Amino acid sequence: MELITDADAAAAEARLAGLALRTASVPCEWAPGELWLKPENLQPVGAFKIRGAGNALARLDPQLRSAGVITHSSGNHGQALAYAARSYGVACTVVVPEGAPRVKVAAMHGFGAETVTVAGDRRAETARELAGKHGLTLVPPFDHRDVIAGQATVGTEIAADLPGVETVLVPVGGGGLAAGVATAIGARCPRARVVGVEPELAADAKQSLQRGRLTPWPDELTRRTMADGVRVGPSQLTFAHLKARLDGIVTVGEEEIFAAVGALARRAHLVAEPSGAVAAAAHLAGRGPGGRTVAVVSGGNVDADLLARAVTAAG
């Protein structure tokens, strides 16, 4: 299976100029050890997903692109594809799972997307069916080389800002972000360790790496975590990248994720959704390898009630 290269990441970086924000690595004097945060919650769609969606759409044949695009997403990738599609003036449809966060679905509509709601285990199948029926191009949330290359630009920016970085902590759901970051950091900062972070209640990627083969967890298990953006597991493509380039995966509990959401809001003044807080949670809980560490805050599209509770608890 062909993996992306650092050259793919560099090309994606050039394509994304003007669409995705170049986020700075922010030092955290309040945190234990040496910690910087990579605030992808500041992207125009509130998450890193704009990078992968934007690169994939830019690479798409103009004729295919003009016919419209479709994806399946619990929220952030759907918003990102809708945002990028709007910039090209093309239609976008997002298949969302039942129970998807209302704030994310509302944002998709705000960017002009049409949504179709189905059971969580049918979203990928439904997206493929609708793509064939209506002549749309499927842009998956992570199982695509152009999407992974776009996410890799998170790593190219970290390497440029902190060439002496020793550890990069990155959330793992479908694995596109971790695959891309591990590729870029491995090429540009070869002494650094890239470590994935998953919720204990959705640790399928960790188990897969331990067993040496994909071990999907059913939806009824992964939906238990509040970190909805990392409930889905890796594909064969992303798993191949993780197996070859990731230095391991650690897990965090629900209380630790919740506490990290509150700490990021109160101490770093960053709004993070639970999925976006898992990497910081690992560092704050002492699960990372240590050293000069960057934790990727992958998204900030959080339910207002959850954020209020987390901020109150952190006080």
Side-chain angles (χ1 to χ4, degrees), residues 18-257:
L19 181 68
L21 179 69
R22 191 202 187 287
T23 57
S25 296
V26 181
C28 297
E29 302 294 337
W30 53 270
E34 295 183 76
L35 177 66
W36 281 257
L37 299 173
K38 179 69 169 167
E40 288 296 292
N41 60 312
L42 301 181
Q43 290 292 349
V45 297
F48 75 96
K49 292 283 192 175
I50 186 60
R51 297 173 182 267
N55 188 53
L57 213 54
R59 291 264 293 156
L60 196 59
D61 177 90
Q63 228 176 353
L64 292 176
R65 188 169 58 214
S66 66
V69 291
I70 188 169
T71 193
H72 53 92
S73 168
S74 66
N76 285 339
H77 176 69
Q79 292 177 67
L81 189 62
Y83 182 89
R86 188 179 69 175
S87 74
Y88 284 100
V90 301
C92 176
T93 301
V94 184
V95 179
V96 300
E98 293 171 346
R102 288 174 296 175
V103 64
K104 295 183 179 182
V105 176
M108 291 181 217
H109 292 157
F111 293 132
E114 176 186 343
T115 60
V116 177
T117 303
V118 299
D121 59 358
R122 290 205 67 249
R123 56 184 176 178
E125 176 187 0
T126 302
R128 287 192 296 270
E129 290 173 353
L130 292 174
K133 182 178 180 181
H134 299 292
L136 307 174
T137 296
L138 177 64
V139 181
F142 52 86
D143 190 28
H144 196 291
R145 293 183 80 260
D146 292 337
V147 172
I148 297 171
Q151 319 305 27
T153 61
V154 172
T156 64
E157 292 175 8
I158 291 172
D161 289 347
L162 291 169
V165 64
E166 296 172 89
T167 297
V168 179
L169 297 172
V170 57
V172 179
L177 176 62
V181 169
T183 297
I185 294 295
R188 300 178 184 222
C189 304
R191 295 185 180 181
R193 295 155 294 190
V194 181
V195 177
V197 186
E198 285 186 302
E200 292 172 358
L201 298 181
D204 48 345
K206 180 177 182 179
Q207 188 176 77
S208 295
L209 287 176
Q210 289 171 337
R211 295 183 176 182
R213 57 181 172 82
L214 274 181
T215 308
W217 285 21
D219 185 61
E220 59 264 26
L221 286 183
T222 60
R223 74 164 65 121
R224 298 173 300 164
T225 179
M226 70 176 74
D228 65 280
V230 293
R231 288 172 181 163
V232 64
S235 66
Q236 291 286 356
L237 177 62
T238 55
F239 181 65
H241 284 78
L242 301 184
K243 191 175 179 181
R245 295 171 177 170
L246 201 64
D247 294 299
I249 293 181
V250 298
T251 60
V252 287
E254 296 299 292
E255 291 184 3
E256 291 165 331
I257 297 170

Side-chain angles (χ1 to χ4, degrees), residues 255-280:
E255 291 184 3
E256 291 165 331
I257 297 170
F258 185 73
V261 171
L264 289 172
R266 279 196 172 270
R267 305 300 300 276
H269 313 294
L270 291 175
V271 173
E273 62 191 270
S275 305
V278 296

